[in-house]
Amino acid sequence: RKMAAVAGSDAHVASMVGRAITEVNAPRDVPAVLRAIREGRTRIVVRRTPLHVYLSQLGHGWSRRAKSIFSKL
């Protein structure tokens, strides 16, 4: 079964919301947009996470893991 593609976000910080969007080829009214999605007239546009944000999140994850490991010693 063929399904329409739409983008979503699982952003953990407000500054990252909106980095994945769905462009819909339709007039700006609800029935037309819904029809275009059902017909597959969409395109997903994604902007990658900036390197400094990625590295910061990675560092926070390592820090939490290290604290967890050392708290068990």
Side-chain angles (χ1 to χ4, degrees), residues 8 12 21 25 28 36 38 40 46 49:
H12 295 232
I21 62 169
N25 184 8
R28 296 185 90 164
R38 281 192 293 272
V46 179
T49 301

Side-chain angles (χ1 to χ4, degrees), residues 2-72:
K2 192 172 183 178
M3 305 219 27
V6 293
S9 174
D10 70 342
H12 295 232
V13 293
S15 64
M16 299 306 294
V17 172
R19 298 193 71 80
I21 62 169
T22 303
E23 287 185 353
V24 181
N25 184 8
R28 296 185 90 164
D29 69 86
V30 174
V33 169
L34 293 176
R35 188 170 40 259
I37 291 171
R38 281 192 293 272
E39 293 172 359
R41 292 184 282 127
T42 61
R43 182 173 83 101
I44 296 174
V45 179
V46 179
R47 292 182 295 165
R48 297 188 64 94
T49 301
L51 183 59
H52 73 279
V53 173
Y54 174 78
L55 293 175
S56 174
Q57 291 173 340
L58 188 64
H60 288 292
W62 285 346
S63 173
R64 284 191 304 273
R65 180 74 174 138
K67 287 177 185 176
S68 173
I69 291 170
F70 288 116
S71 70
K72 296 175 185 175

